[in-house]
Amino acid sequence: MGVETGHAWHQLILERSTMQTGYDIEVAGGDATPSETAVQGPGPVINDAIGRALQTHYRVLTEEPLPSRFLVLLAELEAKEARLD
Amino acid sequence: MTDEPAVVTSEPAIEERVIVKGAGRTSAFREGLVGEMPNLRAFAISLSGRIQLADDLVQETLLKAWSNADSYQPGSNLRAWLFTILRNTYFSLYRQRGREVQDTDGIYSQRLATPAAQEGALDLADFRIALAKLPPEQREVLIMVGASGLTYEEAATVCDCAVGTVKSRVNRARAKLSELLGIVGPEDLGPGALTDAIVRVAPSNGPT
């Protein structure tokens, strides 16, 4: 991402852009290439819908059963450490 | 992050790992690892888009966390520390193998539970396909600050970048998602979306 080079002036523009919460149809739906102006996100209603979908997506993943191998691994690591005693 | 473990690109057997005894591996640390497993796995699946790869990433992260327990500062955010290890492991793989470690078709979503969509809510399967199409550096920050509970500052630490960079990536990710999902205005979200967004009552407990 060429625009994330971290120049101070650039960061300032990014910060200012993110403070705007206005509705920007051109950014949300257009084919504009990424640029400083595209840093502004979609409007609050769309952000809200995306935010809820994101949380549902993540919550469903955290509720999936865990593979047993993770706990097996920890048990093996603990057992190995115990043998060092 | 100075406490970042060295990148391990293959998986040596546990017996081959040099593990110094003691070094921060308290029972609280172990319980913390166990408690963070669901979040680690959710982050790994979101990031990589592949369940098998995600589970390997979690496994590797747990190993590195155990081996480097002494570099974890008790009281600091364990989730952020573990996410740092996991995303660095993923991106080192990503740099080596490129698209091979990314599932842009969102095939993994077919193996996951998909609750019925609420009125005015985005379809989860569609959402996951769109999420998988985001550039990984946008996807990771969106998941971190939008779902996993990390602050912008913590996400910036995890990514080793400026807070402003995290914010701009999050906004770019949202804009790209809305474009991929074809939503340019509230009317594209279906009836009720606008009032839902304004009223915002019990978002996850709607009628079924």
Side-chain angles (χ1 to χ4, degrees):
Chain A
M1 303 295 290
V3 296
E4 287 162 351
T5 50
H7 296 302
W9 60 269
H10 202 121
Q11 290 300 326
L12 190 59
I13 291 171
L14 298 181
E15 292 278 5
R16 283 183 181 158
S17 301
T18 58
M19 281 188 239
Q20 299 172 26
T21 54
Y23 197 50
D24 192 336
I25 289 175
E26 188 182 347
V27 169
D31 299 322
T33 53
S35 68
E36 290 87 346
T37 56
V39 171
Q40 182 174 300
V45 175
I46 292 175
N47 274 345
D48 183 80
I50 289 174
R52 277 183 292 152
L54 194 61
Q55 286 172 7
T56 302
H57 154 80
Y58 190 84
R59 178 177 50 77
V60 168
L61 289 183
T62 59
E63 290 169 355
E64 287 263 309
L66 286 171
S68 57
R69 63 162 152 147
F70 299 156
L71 288 174
V72 169
L73 171 70
L74 276 191
E76 286 173 355
L77 288 168
E78 284 184 306
K80 179 176 181 180
E81 186 155 351
R83 286 199 297 275
L84 295 175
D85 283 333
Chain B
M1 297 285 289
T2 53
D3 55 357
E4 174 189 329
V7 170
V8 176
T9 53
S10 58
E11 286 201 43
I14 292 168
E15 298 302 322
E16 295 168 19
R17 303 255 177 165
V18 177
I19 294 180
V20 181
K21 186 172 168 2
R25 287 183 288 278
T26 61
S27 60
F29 181 75
R30 184 198 178 283
E31 284 166 23
L33 290 186
V34 174
E36 289 298 333
M37 282 178 185
N39 270 283
L40 262 183
R41 188 163 185 263
F43 182 54
I45 293 174
S46 302
L47 192 60
S48 71
R50 289 187 179 185
I51 293 173
Q52 182 64 43
L53 176 60
D55 287 344
D56 289 346
L57 286 169
V58 172
Q59 177 107 348
E60 185 64 28
T61 300
L62 292 171
L63 261 172
K64 288 178 179 173
W66 189 265
S67 310
N68 295 276
D70 56 338
S71 68
Y72 170 70
Q73 306 239 325
S76 65
N77 190 327
L78 180 62
R79 183 172 304 166
W81 187 75
L82 292 169
F83 277 19
T84 306
I85 298 172
L86 191 143
R87 62 86 68 183
N88 288 345
T89 304
Y90 174 69
F91 280 110
S92 67
L93 264 181
Y94 189 84
R95 278 191 295 272
Q96 288 166 29
R97 302 192 201 166
R99 296 174 65 86
E100 192 187 325
V101 297
Q102 188 183 29
D103 174 14
T104 52
D105 298 325
I107 293 166
Y108 73 102
S109 67
Q110 295 169 7
R111 283 182 50 193
L112 299 170
T114 307
Q118 295 171 257
E119 189 180 345
L122 298 169
D123 180 82
L124 190 57
D126 290 345
F127 180 82
R128 283 176 166 152
I129 291 170
L131 188 67
K133 289 178 178 168
L134 290 181
E137 70 275 8
Q138 292 179 16
R139 190 164 56 244
E140 63 167 342
V141 291
L142 192 68
I143 292 291
M144 279 191 272
V145 305
S148 81
L150 296 198
T151 64
Y152 279 85
E153 288 74 18
E154 287 166 341
T157 304
V158 170
C159 303
D160 195 20
C161 67
V163 175
T165 304
V166 172
K167 288 179 179 173
S168 68
R169 285 178 185 173
V170 167
N171 280 343
R172 264 195 215 100
R174 286 175 175 151
K176 183 68 179 172
L177 279 179
S178 67
E179 181 191 320
L180 289 168
L181 292 164
I183 44 175
V184 295
E187 66 278 5
D188 295 321
L189 293 168
L194 188 56
T195 46
D196 280 356
I198 293 169
V199 180
R200 304 290 292 116
V201 177
S204 60
N205 293 316
T208 53

